[in-house]
Amino acid sequence: MKHVLVIAYYFPPMGLSGVQRIVKFVKYLPSFGWQPTVLTIDPHAYFAFDDSMLKDVRHTEIWRARPGRAFRVIGERRTVPLTRERFRGLANRLSQLFFIPDNKIGWTRQAMRFLQGKDLSVFNAVFSTAPPFSNHLLGLRIKHRYGLPLLVDFRDAWVDNPYHVYWTGWHRKRHLELERKVLESSDAIVSNNEFITRLWAERYPGAAFHKRVYLIPQGFDPADFDSASEASSLNVDELHFVYTGVFYANNTPLVLYRALKLLQEEHPDVYNRLRFYMIGYVQHEYRRAAVQLGVEDRFRYCGYLEHADAVAWQQAADVLWLVLGDANRGYQTISAGKAFEYLGSRKPILGIVPDNTIRRMLSGFDHTFLVEPDDVRGLAETIRDLCEHKRTGTLPRGDAGKIRAYDRKVLTGRLGELLDGIARKR
């Protein structure tokens, strides 16, 4: 068994979608000859906690370093509410004025101090996942100090990230320098989105690191669906939609509200058969928008649930829906994890998505219904069609064979092969 040090700032008991990819890698790596040890943060105030995900990594050694000074002042583990999207975006922009590459850079210094008391000679490789992109800089420091090969994983784009703000030309130049340094210094590079790799090719033509770039997409864990309990029983005469996750930036439920208003006015019989269950935080501004349009009676807000309970709701649904509301260059790099987990449920998927990698991926399946984000009438008509499918018992089901390509264990096997290729011999 070889050993890998995994750098993951976001890790259980922290919740939300940013932890699932790395948790499943850590869960399945031992099946491919790699024993992971996770270097992460000591839990502090955060938007959501999910202790249930610790079950997947219960046999894994976890090293927890203290947060940086900026986060230490906000205290011990506790759940803090999501602010209004406008305020969250403003706080994010201000943070990027002062911290490069992000406000987790202080934690990396704490992590290096933490490692001084550890024996790293047992490891054959280091694996860092980002965001935060400070993780990759920490991985580089460990690589150079301890002579360990480094594999870096990009869950999102760095310089091209649509949520990044460059206050000055110097800010952008500094991010470009750091991104190139990571790419050129790493022994292997993983991206979860082909568009990210295409942007690297455009920005750094002819760079040697392109030969070390590999694609491992997001995925789902079949075991989550095998072990999930049943959610509340639902009225069989209604069409039940489930959404899991949060809304942010241009990914909002507003287009759905407008489509429901259209159905309310033109097809009240269809409207009255619809039920929408929101699993996760829905900011007050979006709840208020539903009230203002007069469609709030179709919604039930369940709040943030642990992952197993969210999966149970997916299994109880008739249709799962997601929204990605922008097709500009940056948003094409976003690979929403929920789209792949929805595939694992094999339930029909209503995707309100532009022309991006998620739409192209979903279009390869027969149980998906895809609508452009600005097509309100098209969305209303698609919901009508789904109602008719429910009435006639013809709602489609995903092909188990086709979705296997996104099985987390299969994907972890690819990661294990990459680690084998760079492993330091002891």
Side-chain angles (χ1 to χ4, degrees), residues 291-312:
V291 173
Q292 290 171 343
L293 279 172
V295 297
E296 77 281 359
D297 61 327
R298 298 299 94 188
F299 290 88
R300 174 180 169 186
Y301 302 102
C302 301
Y304 181 79
L305 301 178
E306 291 190 339
H307 186 242
D309 295 325
V311 170

Side-chain angles (χ1 to χ4, degrees), residues 34 53 121 132 141 183 221 244 281 283 295 362 406 408 425:
W34 283 90
M53 295 195 73
S121 67
R141 293 181 68 183
L183 293 171
D221 187 352
T244 60
Y281 295 129
Q283 294 94 317
V295 297
L362 291 176
Y406 300 103
R408 293 280 194 189
K425 296 181 179 179

Side-chain angles (χ1 to χ4, degrees), residues 114-375:
F114 177 89
L115 291 176
Q116 290 176 3
K118 301 293 184 179
D119 178 13
L120 270 63
S121 67
V122 300
F123 293 105
N124 303 90
V126 178
F127 171 49
S128 66
T129 183
F133 296 97
S134 293
N135 281 354
H136 290 339
L137 301 184
L138 175 58
L140 280 187
R141 293 181 68 183
I142 295 171
K143 169 186 169 70
H144 294 315
R145 179 172 296 185
Y146 298 96
L148 291 168
L150 173 65
L151 189 156
V152 293
D153 173 47
F154 285 80
R155 303 193 314 275
D156 291 315
W158 185 339
V159 172
D160 303 289
N161 195 303
Y163 308 120
H164 283 193
V165 175
Y166 302 108
W167 286 82
T168 67
W170 176 85
H171 282 81
R172 180 177 175 82
K173 180 181 178 182
R174 184 59 181 145
H175 278 272
L176 282 165
E177 291 171 348
L178 292 174
E179 179 187 69
R180 182 157 194 159
K181 180 180 179 181
V182 166
L183 293 171
E184 291 184 338
S185 302
S186 300
D187 298 275
I189 303 157
V190 168
S191 163
N192 73 359
N193 183 306
E194 62 184 11
F195 199 77
I196 295 176
T197 64
R198 201 183 315 163
L199 291 172
W200 288 337
E202 293 175 6
R203 186 156 54 246
Y204 311 114
F209 70 78
H210 293 300
K211 298 177 181 178
R212 304 193 300 275
V213 176
Y214 304 88
L215 179 67
I216 301 181
Q218 298 277 31
F220 69 92
D221 187 352
D224 290 341
F225 295 92
D226 294 340
S227 62
S229 59
E230 287 294 326
S232 303
S233 58
L234 303 176
N235 187 334
V236 296
D237 295 322
E238 297 173 335
L239 181 64
H240 304 279
F241 292 80
V242 167
Y243 179 95
T244 60
V246 298
F247 298 103
Y248 52 89
N250 290 344
N251 302 328
T252 79
L254 299 181
V255 63
L256 174 67
Y257 296 164
R258 291 193 287 270
L260 291 180
K261 186 64 176 179
L262 195 61
L263 288 170
Q264 184 187 66
E265 294 170 348
E266 298 182 1
H267 302 282
D269 56 323
V270 172
Y271 176 85
N272 289 328
R273 291 176 58 199
L274 304 176
R275 291 290 183 272
F276 289 82
Y277 301 88
M278 315 296 265
I279 313 302
Y281 295 129
V282 180
Q283 294 94 317
H284 179 69
E285 62 204 273
Y286 300 132
R287 296 193 187 198
R288 187 172 64 246
V291 173
Q292 290 171 343
L293 279 172
V295 297
E296 77 281 359
D297 61 327
R298 298 299 94 188
F299 290 88
R300 174 180 169 186
Y301 302 102
C302 301
Y304 181 79
L305 301 178
E306 291 190 339
H307 186 242
D309 295 325
V311 170
W313 271 103
Q314 291 176 24
Q315 291 187 304
D318 294 310
V319 181
L320 302 172
W321 73 280
L322 63 93
V323 57
L324 296 174
D326 204 315
N328 70 35
R329 187 179 181 93
Y331 281 89
Q332 287 180 304
T333 66
I334 300 297
S335 289
K338 69 167 62 65
F340 297 84
E341 186 159 84
Y342 285 2
L343 283 178
S345 74
R346 300 175 60 199
K347 292 298 181 75
I349 299 172
L350 172 61
I352 309 169
V353 290
D355 183 16
N356 60 12
T357 54
I358 291 296
R359 186 185 186 96
R360 295 170 194 173
M361 182 272 293
L362 291 176
S363 66
F365 296 89
D366 296 330
H367 65 302
T368 61
F369 301 79
L370 307 178
V371 183
E372 292 286 342
D374 58 355
D375 188 2

